[in-house]
Amino acid sequence: MEIIRRNTDYGIRALVFMAQKPIGEIFSLSDLAAQIEVPLDFLYKIFRKLAEEGLVTAHRGANGGFSLKKETEKITVKEVVEILQGPLAINQCFLSNKPCSYFSKCFLKKRWRKVQEEVEKILSGLTLEELAKGGKHFV
Amino acid sequence: MEIIRRNTDYGIRALVFMAQKPIGEIFSLSDLAAQIEVPLDFLYKIFRKLAEEGLVTAHRGANGGFSLKKETEKITVKEVVEILQGPLAINQCFLSNKPCSYFSKCFLKKRWRKVQEEVEKILSGLTLEELAKGGKHFV
DNA sequence: TAATACTGGACTATTTTAGTCCAGATTATT
DNA sequence: AATAATCTGGACTAAAATAGTCCAGTATTA
């Protein structure tokens, strides 16, 4: 199983690609899709959500496209994952607020929470800037 | 999305439950299923794999059941995850050996590998013994 | 006005998930 | 020997998730 699904993977690929060019530059998705080799219509769907959440700005019409809105050093992998594939949890127990029937007896939940926090720390500690440029994570 | 799926969650719940009783004790799945509140037939399916992989031993017939075969301090969460839900990877790229068409150009793969290793480290560093008793991870 | 680009939503094929069901084999007890 | 409890192996399935596709519409530029 993949933790990062196809849509998130594509989204990050696109954002990181954009991050490597001068800030404010506008990319049409037809260009972008060709560059990062993902299906155009799928990329539209992905960018719709990224725009809704304020990561990118859409520019309609000819010569339009998308530009980065949020600084990539402030966008974490965790954020993109949650925008594009919803909440990520270690198990069912931490996904919904409704505890399962076993919840009260479950002596594992405190321990799973610890694991959940460790995984979150990895993903929230990694920014797109670092993915693009290679930061402290990749020395 | 949950990293640990229902079958793995149930499997770990069962194994940890067993780990809290004297070693060698035999548990019938009907008892176990009632104790940890999971569907019996599903638990059978789960234990079949755990037995195949040598984590537990099956004892057939009346008064039969399953006993732990491998010491729980040697069973890691990663191991159970991989037995029950197959390989866990950060993304598609690390799931199969077949690189995707973008692979050669993908400057992210080295970075994803790092993330993958960090996640693996968490899961392989956590044993069922620690889940059962609360070890260094949970102080 | 034509071309380019995003918007919004409906639609869909395939795969995965979370089980269920059942006939059979094995062993312990009576 | 019969019965009951237990695992074995595999087929089956409903529902959800995944990974897209498609299209009619709107906005903008040349």
Side-chain angles (χ1 to χ4, degrees), chain A residues 1-4 9 13 16 37 87 89-92 101-102 105 111 114 118 122 131-132 137-138, chain B residues 1-4 9 13 37 87 89-92 101-102 105 111 114 118 122 131-132 137-138:
Chain A
M1 191 200 63
E2 312 119 70
I3 294 175
I4 289 181
D9 196 63
R13 219 141 100 179
V16 168
E37 297 182 27
I90 187 69
N91 66 7
Q92 184 77 11
S101 63
Y102 189 64
K105 279 163 258 174
R111 291 156 194 188
K114 188 81 192 303
E118 287 174 359
I122 292 175
L131 275 181
H137 266 281
F138 305 107
Chain B
M1 192 201 60
E2 312 120 67
I3 294 175
I4 288 180
D9 197 64
R13 218 142 101 179
E37 297 181 28
I90 186 69
N91 67 6
Q92 184 77 8
S101 63
Y102 189 64
K105 282 161 257 176
R111 290 153 194 188
K114 188 82 192 304
E118 288 175 358
I122 292 174
L131 275 180
H137 266 282
F138 306 107

mmCIF file of all heavy atoms in Angstrom, chain A residues 1-4 9 13 16 37 87 89-92 101-102 105 111 114 118 122 131-132 137-138, chain B residues 1-4 9 13 37 87 89-92 101-102 105 111 114 118 122 131-132 137-138:
data_model
loop_
_atom_site.group_PDB
_atom_site.id
_atom_site.type_symbol
_atom_site.label_atom_id
_atom_site.label_comp_id
_atom_site.label_asym_id
_atom_site.label_seq_id
_atom_site.Cartn_x
_atom_site.Cartn_y
_atom_site.Cartn_z
ATOM 1 N N MET A 1 0.825 -1.197 0.000
ATOM 2 C CA MET A 1 0.000 0.000 0.000
ATOM 3 C C MET A 1 0.862 1.251 0.000
ATOM 4 O O MET A 1 1.906 1.284 0.643
ATOM 5 C CB MET A 1 -0.879 0.001 1.246
ATOM 6 C CG MET A 1 -1.947 1.030 1.251
ATOM 7 S SD MET A 1 -2.523 1.354 2.932
ATOM 8 C CE MET A 1 -1.035 2.000 3.672
ATOM 9 N N GLU A 2 0.398 2.243 -0.714
ATOM 10 C CA GLU A 2 1.155 3.499 -0.720
ATOM 11 C C GLU A 2 0.549 4.491 0.257
ATOM 12 O O GLU A 2 -0.659 4.661 0.297
ATOM 13 C CB GLU A 2 1.123 4.170 -2.090
ATOM 14 C CG GLU A 2 1.425 3.250 -3.238
ATOM 15 C CD GLU A 2 0.244 3.194 -4.178
ATOM 16 O OE1 GLU A 2 0.004 4.215 -4.855
ATOM 17 O OE2 GLU A 2 -0.429 2.150 -4.246
ATOM 18 N N ILE A 3 1.401 5.133 1.009
ATOM 19 C CA ILE A 3 0.949 6.167 1.926
ATOM 20 C C ILE A 3 0.562 7.409 1.136
ATOM 21 O O ILE A 3 -0.457 8.037 1.396
ATOM 22 C CB ILE A 3 2.068 6.480 2.943
ATOM 23 C CG1 ILE A 3 2.299 5.248 3.822
ATOM 24 C CG2 ILE A 3 1.719 7.713 3.761
ATOM 25 C CD1 ILE A 3 3.450 5.387 4.776
ATOM 26 N N ILE A 4 1.389 7.728 0.156
ATOM 27 C CA ILE A 4 1.095 8.864 -0.697
ATOM 28 C C ILE A 4 0.513 8.363 -1.998
ATOM 29 O O ILE A 4 1.164 7.657 -2.763
ATOM 30 C CB ILE A 4 2.373 9.693 -0.932
ATOM 31 C CG1 ILE A 4 2.706 10.398 0.376
ATOM 32 C CG2 ILE A 4 2.208 10.675 -2.089
ATOM 33 C CD1 ILE A 4 3.893 11.271 0.336
ATOM 34 N N ASP A 9 0.909 12.469 -5.097
ATOM 35 C CA ASP A 9 2.221 12.358 -5.705
ATOM 36 C C ASP A 9 2.327 13.328 -6.889
ATOM 37 O O ASP A 9 3.297 14.086 -7.001
ATOM 38 C CB ASP A 9 2.421 10.915 -6.180
ATOM 39 C CG ASP A 9 3.884 10.603 -6.468
ATOM 40 O OD1 ASP A 9 4.680 10.667 -5.521
ATOM 41 O OD2 ASP A 9 4.228 10.329 -7.629
ATOM 42 N N ARG A 13 4.618 16.644 -7.187
ATOM 43 C CA ARG A 13 5.521 16.730 -8.335
ATOM 44 C C ARG A 13 5.345 18.075 -9.036
ATOM 45 O O ARG A 13 6.314 18.766 -9.350
ATOM 46 C CB ARG A 13 5.163 15.610 -9.315
ATOM 47 C CG ARG A 13 6.335 14.966 -9.967
ATOM 48 C CD ARG A 13 6.090 13.486 -10.078
ATOM 49 N NE ARG A 13 5.649 13.111 -11.436
ATOM 50 C CZ ARG A 13 5.389 11.847 -11.794
ATOM 51 N NH1 ARG A 13 5.514 10.865 -10.918
ATOM 52 N NH2 ARG A 13 5.008 11.568 -13.008
ATOM 53 N N VAL A 16 6.459 21.094 -6.752
ATOM 54 C CA VAL A 16 7.915 21.163 -6.636
ATOM 55 C C VAL A 16 8.527 21.633 -7.959
ATOM 56 O O VAL A 16 9.462 22.429 -7.983
ATOM 57 C CB VAL A 16 8.493 19.801 -6.205
ATOM 58 C CG1 VAL A 16 10.004 19.777 -6.360
ATOM 59 C CG2 VAL A 16 8.121 19.504 -4.760
ATOM 60 N N GLU A 37 4.548 14.537 -16.723
ATOM 61 C CA GLU A 37 3.994 13.281 -17.244
ATOM 62 C C GLU A 37 2.844 12.724 -16.416
ATOM 63 O O GLU A 37 2.909 11.615 -15.906
ATOM 64 C CB GLU A 37 5.107 12.230 -17.401
ATOM 65 C CG GLU A 37 6.146 12.670 -18.422
ATOM 66 C CD GLU A 37 7.253 11.633 -18.637
ATOM 67 O OE1 GLU A 37 6.991 10.440 -18.428
ATOM 68 O OE2 GLU A 37 8.365 12.044 -19.026
ATOM 69 N N PRO A 87 -7.580 13.091 5.644
ATOM 70 C CA PRO A 87 -6.765 12.839 6.825
ATOM 71 C C PRO A 87 -6.005 11.522 6.741
ATOM 72 O O PRO A 87 -6.511 10.539 6.201
ATOM 73 C CB PRO A 87 -7.784 12.801 7.963
ATOM 74 C CG PRO A 87 -9.105 12.619 7.331
ATOM 75 C CD PRO A 87 -9.005 13.206 5.968
ATOM 76 N N ALA A 89 -4.186 8.673 9.003
ATOM 77 C CA ALA A 89 -4.126 8.216 10.378
ATOM 78 C C ALA A 89 -3.430 6.880 10.448
ATOM 79 O O ALA A 89 -3.363 6.153 9.460
ATOM 80 C CB ALA A 89 -5.530 8.098 10.955
ATOM 81 N N ILE A 90 -2.907 6.584 11.605
ATOM 82 C CA ILE A 90 -2.218 5.305 11.761
ATOM 83 C C ILE A 90 -3.207 4.152 11.624
ATOM 84 O O ILE A 90 -2.914 3.155 10.998
ATOM 85 C CB ILE A 90 -1.418 5.245 13.076
ATOM 86 C CG1 ILE A 90 -0.566 3.986 13.142
ATOM 87 C CG2 ILE A 90 -2.327 5.352 14.279
ATOM 88 C CD1 ILE A 90 0.582 3.932 12.174
ATOM 89 N N ASN A 91 -4.393 4.315 12.180
ATOM 90 C CA ASN A 91 -5.435 3.304 11.976
ATOM 91 C C ASN A 91 -6.822 3.933 12.115
ATOM 92 O O ASN A 91 -6.951 5.117 12.393
ATOM 93 C CB ASN A 91 -5.254 2.111 12.931
ATOM 94 C CG ASN A 91 -5.457 2.497 14.376
ATOM 95 O OD1 ASN A 91 -5.862 3.604 14.691
ATOM 96 N ND2 ASN A 91 -5.175 1.572 15.268
ATOM 97 N N GLN A 92 -7.809 3.133 11.913
ATOM 98 C CA GLN A 92 -9.209 3.554 11.928
ATOM 99 C C GLN A 92 -9.538 4.414 13.142
ATOM 100 O O GLN A 92 -10.265 5.394 13.057
ATOM 101 C CB GLN A 92 -10.084 2.285 11.942
ATOM 102 C CG GLN A 92 -11.567 2.503 11.864
ATOM 103 C CD GLN A 92 -12.009 2.840 10.455
ATOM 104 O OE1 GLN A 92 -11.245 2.719 9.503
ATOM 105 N NE2 GLN A 92 -13.252 3.278 10.306
ATOM 106 N N SER A 101 -16.297 0.322 18.971
ATOM 107 C CA SER A 101 -16.911 -0.294 20.145
ATOM 108 C C SER A 101 -15.859 -0.773 21.145
ATOM 109 O O SER A 101 -16.118 -0.896 22.329
ATOM 110 C CB SER A 101 -17.770 -1.484 19.714
ATOM 111 O OG SER A 101 -16.948 -2.464 19.106
ATOM 112 N N TYR A 102 -14.691 -1.029 20.640
ATOM 113 C CA TYR A 102 -13.631 -1.589 21.474
ATOM 114 C C TYR A 102 -12.861 -0.506 22.213
ATOM 115 O O TYR A 102 -12.048 -0.772 23.088
ATOM 116 C CB TYR A 102 -12.692 -2.385 20.565
ATOM 117 C CG TYR A 102 -11.661 -3.219 21.274
ATOM 118 C CD1 TYR A 102 -12.036 -4.288 22.089
ATOM 119 C CD2 TYR A 102 -10.310 -2.949 21.132
ATOM 120 C CE1 TYR A 102 -11.086 -5.060 22.734
ATOM 121 C CE2 TYR A 102 -9.344 -3.725 21.766
ATOM 122 C CZ TYR A 102 -9.742 -4.777 22.564
ATOM 123 O OH TYR A 102 -8.806 -5.536 23.205
ATOM 124 N N LYS A 105 -11.925 -0.279 25.973
ATOM 125 C CA LYS A 105 -11.082 -1.347 26.510
ATOM 126 C C LYS A 105 -9.679 -1.350 25.909
ATOM 127 O O LYS A 105 -8.797 -2.045 26.372
ATOM 128 C CB LYS A 105 -11.734 -2.702 26.173
ATOM 129 C CG LYS A 105 -12.835 -3.087 27.104
ATOM 130 C CD LYS A 105 -13.688 -4.178 26.471
ATOM 131 C CE LYS A 105 -14.977 -3.586 25.929
ATOM 132 N NZ LYS A 105 -15.799 -4.548 25.189
ATOM 133 N N ARG A 111 -0.716 3.922 22.628
ATOM 134 C CA ARG A 111 0.517 3.572 21.934
ATOM 135 C C ARG A 111 0.427 3.885 20.456
ATOM 136 O O ARG A 111 1.370 4.377 19.859
ATOM 137 C CB ARG A 111 0.835 2.112 22.212
ATOM 138 C CG ARG A 111 1.212 1.989 23.670
ATOM 139 C CD ARG A 111 1.033 0.650 24.286
ATOM 140 N NE ARG A 111 1.133 0.823 25.743
ATOM 141 C CZ ARG A 111 1.164 -0.188 26.590
ATOM 142 N NH1 ARG A 111 1.097 -1.431 26.150
ATOM 143 N NH2 ARG A 111 1.262 0.049 27.875
ATOM 144 N N LYS A 114 1.074 7.496 19.841
ATOM 145 C CA LYS A 114 2.503 7.821 19.794
ATOM 146 C C LYS A 114 3.053 7.580 18.381
ATOM 147 O O LYS A 114 3.775 8.428 17.841
ATOM 148 C CB LYS A 114 3.246 6.949 20.807
ATOM 149 C CG LYS A 114 4.697 7.309 21.012
ATOM 150 C CD LYS A 114 4.867 8.482 21.950
ATOM 151 C CE LYS A 114 6.291 9.026 21.923
ATOM 152 N NZ LYS A 114 7.297 7.985 22.256
ATOM 153 N N GLU A 118 4.544 10.216 15.554
ATOM 154 C CA GLU A 118 5.871 10.089 14.946
ATOM 155 C C GLU A 118 5.793 10.196 13.426
ATOM 156 O O GLU A 118 6.628 10.836 12.789
ATOM 157 C CB GLU A 118 6.523 8.770 15.366
ATOM 158 C CG GLU A 118 6.985 8.777 16.820
ATOM 159 C CD GLU A 118 7.501 7.423 17.296
ATOM 160 O OE1 GLU A 118 7.489 6.449 16.502
ATOM 161 O OE2 GLU A 118 7.912 7.335 18.451
ATOM 162 N N ILE A 122 7.217 13.348 10.759
ATOM 163 C CA ILE A 122 8.024 13.216 9.538
ATOM 164 C C ILE A 122 7.416 14.042 8.414
ATOM 165 O O ILE A 122 8.091 14.814 7.742
ATOM 166 C CB ILE A 122 8.091 11.731 9.087
ATOM 167 C CG1 ILE A 122 8.900 10.923 10.092
ATOM 168 C CG2 ILE A 122 8.694 11.618 7.694
ATOM 169 C CD1 ILE A 122 8.909 9.431 9.800
ATOM 170 N N LEU A 131 12.015 19.605 -0.484
ATOM 171 C CA LEU A 131 11.921 18.611 -1.550
ATOM 172 C C LEU A 131 12.501 19.177 -2.842
ATOM 173 O O LEU A 131 13.167 18.482 -3.607
ATOM 174 C CB LEU A 131 10.455 18.206 -1.792
ATOM 175 C CG LEU A 131 9.861 17.110 -0.919
ATOM 176 C CD1 LEU A 131 8.426 16.836 -1.327
ATOM 177 C CD2 LEU A 131 10.663 15.823 -1.004
ATOM 178 N N ALA A 132 12.254 20.448 -3.070
ATOM 179 C CA ALA A 132 12.708 21.061 -4.316
ATOM 180 C C ALA A 132 14.213 21.300 -4.313
ATOM 181 O O ALA A 132 14.895 20.989 -5.283
ATOM 182 C CB ALA A 132 11.977 22.387 -4.540
ATOM 183 N N HIS A 137 17.041 17.787 5.448
ATOM 184 C CA HIS A 137 16.613 16.397 5.418
ATOM 185 C C HIS A 137 17.490 15.518 4.543
ATOM 186 O O HIS A 137 17.524 14.318 4.707
ATOM 187 C CB HIS A 137 15.184 16.303 4.865
ATOM 188 C CG HIS A 137 14.165 16.311 5.935
ATOM 189 N ND1 HIS A 137 13.877 15.204 6.680
ATOM 190 C CD2 HIS A 137 13.389 17.292 6.405
ATOM 191 C CE1 HIS A 137 12.941 15.511 7.557
ATOM 192 N NE2 HIS A 137 12.633 16.771 7.414
ATOM 193 N N PHE A 138 18.130 16.131 3.572
ATOM 194 C CA PHE A 138 18.740 15.313 2.521
ATOM 195 C C PHE A 138 20.244 15.453 2.406
ATOM 196 O O PHE A 138 20.815 15.287 1.348
ATOM 197 C CB PHE A 138 18.078 15.642 1.183
ATOM 198 C CG PHE A 138 16.590 15.484 1.239
ATOM 199 C CD1 PHE A 138 15.760 16.589 1.244
ATOM 200 C CD2 PHE A 138 16.021 14.230 1.327
ATOM 201 C CE1 PHE A 138 14.387 16.441 1.327
ATOM 202 C CE2 PHE A 138 14.646 14.077 1.410
ATOM 203 C CZ PHE A 138 13.826 15.191 1.410
ATOM 204 N N MET B 1 -7.028 8.241 5.191
ATOM 205 C CA MET B 1 -6.566 6.893 4.894
ATOM 206 C C MET B 1 -5.798 6.329 6.084
ATOM 207 O O MET B 1 -5.083 7.055 6.770
ATOM 208 C CB MET B 1 -5.633 6.937 3.681
ATOM 209 C CG MET B 1 -5.320 5.594 3.105
ATOM 210 S SD MET B 1 -3.806 5.630 2.120
ATOM 211 C CE MET B 1 -2.607 6.139 3.357
ATOM 212 N N GLU B 2 -6.008 5.071 6.307
ATOM 213 C CA GLU B 2 -5.284 4.457 7.430
ATOM 214 C C GLU B 2 -4.052 3.720 6.934
ATOM 215 O O GLU B 2 -4.134 2.988 5.965
ATOM 216 C CB GLU B 2 -6.144 3.427 8.151
ATOM 217 C CG GLU B 2 -7.535 3.875 8.483
ATOM 218 C CD GLU B 2 -8.553 2.975 7.804
ATOM 219 O OE1 GLU B 2 -8.632 1.801 8.187
ATOM 220 O OE2 GLU B 2 -9.248 3.437 6.885
ATOM 221 N N ILE B 3 -2.972 3.898 7.630
ATOM 222 C CA ILE B 3 -1.744 3.183 7.287
ATOM 223 C C ILE B 3 -1.886 1.723 7.696
ATOM 224 O O ILE B 3 -1.526 0.816 6.963
ATOM 225 C CB ILE B 3 -0.542 3.843 7.994
ATOM 226 C CG1 ILE B 3 -0.346 5.252 7.417
ATOM 227 C CG2 ILE B 3 0.710 2.998 7.851
ATOM 228 C CD1 ILE B 3 0.718 6.054 8.100
ATOM 229 N N ILE B 4 -2.438 1.518 8.869
ATOM 230 C CA ILE B 4 -2.671 0.160 9.350
ATOM 231 C C ILE B 4 -4.122 -0.193 9.134
ATOM 232 O O ILE B 4 -5.021 0.413 9.721
ATOM 233 C CB ILE B 4 -2.265 0.044 10.826
ATOM 234 C CG1 ILE B 4 -0.736 0.097 10.888
ATOM 235 C CG2 ILE B 4 -2.812 -1.231 11.447
ATOM 236 C CD1 ILE B 4 -0.173 -0.001 12.246
ATOM 237 N N ASP B 9 -4.730 -4.378 12.064
ATOM 238 C CA ASP B 9 -5.102 -3.869 13.377
ATOM 239 C C ASP B 9 -5.629 -5.004 14.249
ATOM 240 O O ASP B 9 -5.202 -5.180 15.396
ATOM 241 C CB ASP B 9 -6.181 -2.794 13.194
ATOM 242 C CG ASP B 9 -6.336 -1.937 14.433
ATOM 243 O OD1 ASP B 9 -5.377 -1.245 14.789
ATOM 244 O OD2 ASP B 9 -7.413 -1.986 15.055
ATOM 245 N N ARG B 13 -3.903 -6.629 17.525
ATOM 246 C CA ARG B 13 -4.710 -6.677 18.742
ATOM 247 C C ARG B 13 -4.689 -8.086 19.328
ATOM 248 O O ARG B 13 -4.492 -8.272 20.535
ATOM 249 C CB ARG B 13 -6.144 -6.308 18.379
ATOM 250 C CG ARG B 13 -6.853 -5.488 19.391
ATOM 251 C CD ARG B 13 -7.713 -4.468 18.710
ATOM 252 N NE ARG B 13 -9.121 -4.886 18.686
ATOM 253 C CZ ARG B 13 -10.084 -4.140 18.143
ATOM 254 N NH1 ARG B 13 -9.795 -2.976 17.562
ATOM 255 N NH2 ARG B 13 -11.324 -4.544 18.147
ATOM 256 N N GLU B 37 -13.146 -8.437 20.170
ATOM 257 C CA GLU B 37 -14.284 -7.894 19.421
ATOM 258 C C GLU B 37 -14.028 -7.706 17.928
ATOM 259 O O GLU B 37 -14.109 -6.601 17.396
ATOM 260 C CB GLU B 37 -14.741 -6.561 20.051
ATOM 261 C CG GLU B 37 -15.246 -6.775 21.472
ATOM 262 C CD GLU B 37 -15.740 -5.493 22.140
ATOM 263 O OE1 GLU B 37 -16.193 -4.590 21.411
ATOM 264 O OE2 GLU B 37 -15.675 -5.417 23.385
ATOM 265 N N PRO B 87 3.497 -5.143 1.118
ATOM 266 C CA PRO B 87 4.515 -4.112 1.295
ATOM 267 C C PRO B 87 3.914 -2.734 1.500
ATOM 268 O O PRO B 87 2.897 -2.389 0.917
ATOM 269 C CB PRO B 87 5.319 -4.168 0.003
ATOM 270 C CG PRO B 87 4.481 -4.915 -0.969
ATOM 271 C CD PRO B 87 3.597 -5.810 -0.175
ATOM 272 N N ALA B 89 4.741 1.237 1.224
ATOM 273 C CA ALA B 89 5.709 2.137 0.607
ATOM 274 C C ALA B 89 5.212 3.562 0.699
ATOM 275 O O ALA B 89 4.025 3.804 0.861
ATOM 276 C CB ALA B 89 5.926 1.755 -0.842
ATOM 277 N N ILE B 90 6.141 4.487 0.610
ATOM 278 C CA ILE B 90 5.749 5.885 0.693
ATOM 279 C C ILE B 90 4.915 6.275 -0.521
ATOM 280 O O ILE B 90 3.926 6.975 -0.400
ATOM 281 C CB ILE B 90 6.983 6.820 0.877
ATOM 282 C CG1 ILE B 90 6.553 8.254 1.115
ATOM 283 C CG2 ILE B 90 7.927 6.735 -0.311
ATOM 284 C CD1 ILE B 90 5.885 8.502 2.430
ATOM 285 N N ASN B 91 5.292 5.767 -1.686
ATOM 286 C CA ASN B 91 4.466 5.986 -2.885
ATOM 287 C C ASN B 91 4.677 4.866 -3.903
ATOM 288 O O ASN B 91 5.472 3.954 -3.676
ATOM 289 C CB ASN B 91 4.723 7.373 -3.495
ATOM 290 C CG ASN B 91 6.117 7.498 -4.074
ATOM 291 O OD1 ASN B 91 6.864 6.526 -4.126
ATOM 292 N ND2 ASN B 91 6.469 8.690 -4.487
ATOM 293 N N GLN B 92 3.944 4.935 -4.969
ATOM 294 C CA GLN B 92 3.942 3.929 -6.032
ATOM 295 C C GLN B 92 5.360 3.519 -6.442
ATOM 296 O O GLN B 92 5.653 2.353 -6.682
ATOM 297 C CB GLN B 92 3.220 4.527 -7.247
ATOM 298 C CG GLN B 92 3.032 3.595 -8.417
ATOM 299 C CD GLN B 92 1.908 2.611 -8.187
ATOM 300 O OE1 GLN B 92 1.169 2.718 -7.205
ATOM 301 N NE2 GLN B 92 1.784 1.634 -9.069
ATOM 302 N N SER B 101 7.299 5.592 -15.835
ATOM 303 C CA SER B 101 7.913 6.214 -17.011
ATOM 304 C C SER B 101 8.697 7.471 -16.647
ATOM 305 O O SER B 101 9.625 7.882 -17.329
ATOM 306 C CB SER B 101 6.827 6.583 -18.026
ATOM 307 O OG SER B 101 5.961 7.540 -17.443
ATOM 308 N N TYR B 102 8.326 8.061 -15.556
ATOM 309 C CA TYR B 102 8.931 9.324 -15.152
ATOM 310 C C TYR B 102 10.231 9.096 -14.367
ATOM 311 O O TYR B 102 10.989 10.014 -14.106
ATOM 312 C CB TYR B 102 7.926 10.091 -14.290
ATOM 313 C CG TYR B 102 8.292 11.507 -13.963
ATOM 314 C CD1 TYR B 102 8.402 12.468 -14.962
ATOM 315 C CD2 TYR B 102 8.526 11.900 -12.654
ATOM 316 C CE1 TYR B 102 8.730 13.779 -14.661
ATOM 317 C CE2 TYR B 102 8.849 13.205 -12.341
ATOM 318 C CZ TYR B 102 8.949 14.144 -13.353
ATOM 319 O OH TYR B 102 9.265 15.440 -13.042
ATOM 320 N N LYS B 105 13.716 10.745 -14.829
ATOM 321 C CA LYS B 105 13.776 12.190 -14.669
ATOM 322 C C LYS B 105 13.474 12.649 -13.240
ATOM 323 O O LYS B 105 13.685 13.799 -12.893
ATOM 324 C CB LYS B 105 12.739 12.846 -15.597
ATOM 325 C CG LYS B 105 13.164 12.929 -17.037
ATOM 326 C CD LYS B 105 11.949 13.149 -17.928
ATOM 327 C CE LYS B 105 11.581 11.834 -18.605
ATOM 328 N NZ LYS B 105 10.356 11.911 -19.411
ATOM 329 N N ARG B 111 14.636 11.667 -2.480
ATOM 330 C CA ARG B 111 14.072 12.290 -1.289
ATOM 331 C C ARG B 111 12.939 11.458 -0.704
ATOM 332 O O ARG B 111 12.817 11.306 0.498
ATOM 333 C CB ARG B 111 13.635 13.713 -1.634
ATOM 334 C CG ARG B 111 14.880 14.546 -1.863
ATOM 335 C CD ARG B 111 14.738 15.706 -2.762
ATOM 336 N NE ARG B 111 16.084 16.182 -3.138
ATOM 337 C CZ ARG B 111 16.317 17.282 -3.801
ATOM 338 N NH1 ARG B 111 15.322 18.051 -4.194
ATOM 339 N NH2 ARG B 111 17.548 17.622 -4.102
ATOM 340 N N LYS B 114 14.254 8.672 1.371
ATOM 341 C CA LYS B 114 14.599 9.097 2.736
ATOM 342 C C LYS B 114 13.363 9.052 3.640
ATOM 343 O O LYS B 114 13.429 8.554 4.768
ATOM 344 C CB LYS B 114 15.161 10.517 2.687
ATOM 345 C CG LYS B 114 15.743 11.019 3.983
ATOM 346 C CD LYS B 114 17.157 10.536 4.207
ATOM 347 C CE LYS B 114 17.630 10.788 5.635
ATOM 348 N NZ LYS B 114 17.532 12.222 6.019
ATOM 349 N N GLU B 118 12.469 6.650 6.906
ATOM 350 C CA GLU B 118 12.090 7.175 8.217
ATOM 351 C C GLU B 118 10.813 6.507 8.737
ATOM 352 O O GLU B 118 10.709 6.180 9.922
ATOM 353 C CB GLU B 118 11.910 8.699 8.152
ATOM 354 C CG GLU B 118 13.237 9.438 8.000
ATOM 355 C CD GLU B 118 13.072 10.950 7.802
ATOM 356 O OE1 GLU B 118 11.917 11.419 7.738
ATOM 357 O OE2 GLU B 118 14.073 11.637 7.698
ATOM 358 N N ILE B 122 10.286 3.731 12.069
ATOM 359 C CA ILE B 122 9.306 3.787 13.149
ATOM 360 C C ILE B 122 8.655 2.422 13.350
ATOM 361 O O ILE B 122 8.575 1.903 14.453
ATOM 362 C CB ILE B 122 8.215 4.829 12.841
ATOM 363 C CG1 ILE B 122 8.814 6.236 12.873
ATOM 364 C CG2 ILE B 122 7.058 4.714 13.826
ATOM 365 C CD1 ILE B 122 7.844 7.312 12.448
ATOM 366 N N LEU B 131 4.449 -2.969 22.533
ATOM 367 C CA LEU B 131 3.030 -2.613 22.472
ATOM 368 C C LEU B 131 2.287 -3.237 23.651
ATOM 369 O O LEU B 131 1.388 -2.630 24.232
ATOM 370 C CB LEU B 131 2.405 -3.090 21.163
ATOM 371 C CG LEU B 131 2.544 -2.192 19.939
ATOM 372 C CD1 LEU B 131 1.855 -2.822 18.746
ATOM 373 C CD2 LEU B 131 1.950 -0.811 20.203
ATOM 374 N N ALA B 132 2.673 -4.451 23.994
ATOM 375 C CA ALA B 132 1.981 -5.180 25.054
ATOM 376 C C ALA B 132 2.318 -4.627 26.438
ATOM 377 O O ALA B 132 1.432 -4.408 27.261
ATOM 378 C CB ALA B 132 2.340 -6.668 24.985
ATOM 379 N N HIS B 137 9.439 3.086 24.060
ATOM 380 C CA HIS B 137 8.663 3.965 23.192
ATOM 381 C C HIS B 137 7.614 4.775 23.944
ATOM 382 O O HIS B 137 7.172 5.803 23.484
ATOM 383 C CB HIS B 137 7.926 3.132 22.136
ATOM 384 C CG HIS B 137 8.689 3.018 20.869
ATOM 385 N ND1 HIS B 137 8.749 4.027 19.935
ATOM 386 C CD2 HIS B 137 9.450 2.027 20.393
ATOM 387 C CE1 HIS B 137 9.498 3.643 18.932
ATOM 388 N NE2 HIS B 137 9.937 2.433 19.172
ATOM 389 N N PHE B 138 7.204 4.253 25.085
ATOM 390 C CA PHE B 138 5.997 4.818 25.679
ATOM 391 C C PHE B 138 6.207 5.411 27.059
ATOM 392 O O PHE B 138 5.299 5.443 27.870
ATOM 393 C CB PHE B 138 4.901 3.754 25.718
ATOM 394 C CG PHE B 138 4.657 3.161 24.366
ATOM 395 C CD1 PHE B 138 5.084 1.879 24.065
ATOM 396 C CD2 PHE B 138 4.029 3.910 23.371
ATOM 397 C CE1 PHE B 138 4.867 1.342 22.813
ATOM 398 C CE2 PHE B 138 3.818 3.381 22.114
ATOM 399 C CZ PHE B 138 4.245 2.098 21.839
#
